[in-house]
């Protein structure tokens, strides 16, 4: 995997380029808007408030517990799924650059998680506000959020890499990714808590996305993630990045012809 590792290393060294590309994408999206990217925060806040009131009442949940749970779940899931889905078009959207300039291919992937991290920085305001209103249960678990977010980003990035390569070769693949992520949203405990699935607990136990979310969500809710949660998240990152590097190493030179 020498070529793939070399491409990744040169991309990381060129961090100014992919951070600029990610930032420009957000600026262009909200050009001439007075509120700018904070429209993302406003829309996310409205969604959380609406779903929280309706589903909190249907599930008989205390809003003081359910709203922070829902906000953390939706904000983190939004960052994860956006990274994977936008990664599907990372090479296709930058086809003109790829065909004209000999740049490392990982540059076009890395701008995707960076762009979604900037969006996360806007949406995390909602989580902080709700925790300030309803209180933080345990301060000693808060630092565990950092490794949880790192693992969430690492796993989202290798998925974006694989989907980007496959989408460059097979143009129907982005639609498949979107459909899979939609199904994953419903089978992952985001709008409901895992204990709600009493007879179907295996849906959560066998869902790797649930472990990735728990690595971030539980520390913010005053819980310490289990050893199984950390193990699943770390193993997924190692196996996934190995597969992504193998794919980049094998099809690195073909991407320019596919796009």
């Amino acid at each position: 995997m020498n070529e793939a590792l070399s491409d990744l290393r040169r991309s990381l060294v060129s961090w100014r380029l992919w951070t600029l590309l990610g930032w420009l994408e957000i600026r262009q999206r909200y050009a001439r808007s007075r509120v700018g990217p904070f429209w993302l925060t406003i829309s996310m806040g409205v969604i959380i408030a609406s779903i929280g009131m309706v589903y909190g009442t249907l599930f008989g949940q205390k809003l003081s517990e359910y709203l922070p749970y829902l906000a953390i779940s939706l904000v983190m899931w939004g960052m994860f799924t956006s990274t994977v889905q936008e990664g599907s078009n990372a090479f296709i959207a930058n086809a003109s650059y790829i065909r004209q300039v000999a740049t490392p291919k990982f540059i076009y992937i890395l701008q995707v998680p960076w762009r979604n991290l900037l969006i996360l920085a806007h949406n995390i305001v909602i989580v902080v506000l709700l925790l300030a209103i309803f209180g933080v249960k345990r301060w000693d678990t808060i630092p565990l959020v950092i490794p949880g977010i790192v693992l969430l980003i690492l796993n989202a990035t290798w998925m974006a890499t694989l989907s980007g390569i496959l989408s460059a070769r097979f143009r129907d693949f982005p639609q498949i990714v979107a459909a899979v992520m939609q199904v994953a949203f419903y089978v992952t405990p985001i709008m409901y808590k895992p204990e709600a699935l009493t007879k179907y607990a295996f849906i959560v136990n066998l869902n790797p996305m649930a472990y990735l979310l728990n690595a971030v969500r539980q520390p913010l809710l005053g819980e310490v993630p289990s050893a199984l949660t950390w193990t699943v998240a770390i193993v997924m990152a190692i196996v996934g990045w190995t597969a992504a590097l193998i794919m980049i190493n094998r099809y690195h030179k073909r991407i320019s012809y596919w796009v």
Side-chain angles (χ1 to χ4, degrees), residues 16-43:
R16 291 181 179 85
L17 178 56
W18 51 266
T19 53
L20 178 62
L21 290 173
W23 175 246
L24 287 178
E25 173 66 24
I26 295 179
R27 290 194 62 182
Q28 291 174 358
R29 191 183 305 179
Y30 296 97
R32 298 187 180 183
S33 172
R34 293 185 179 276
V35 181
F38 279 101
W39 275 117
L40 298 167
T41 307
I42 295 172
S43 60

Side-chain angles (χ1 to χ4, degrees), residues 126-144:
I126 302 172
V127 176
V128 174
L129 181 61
L130 288 175
L131 291 178
I133 294 173
F134 298 113
V136 178
K137 293 184 178 180
R138 289 178 58 182
W139 288 97
D140 59 322
T141 61
I142 298 297
L144 295 176

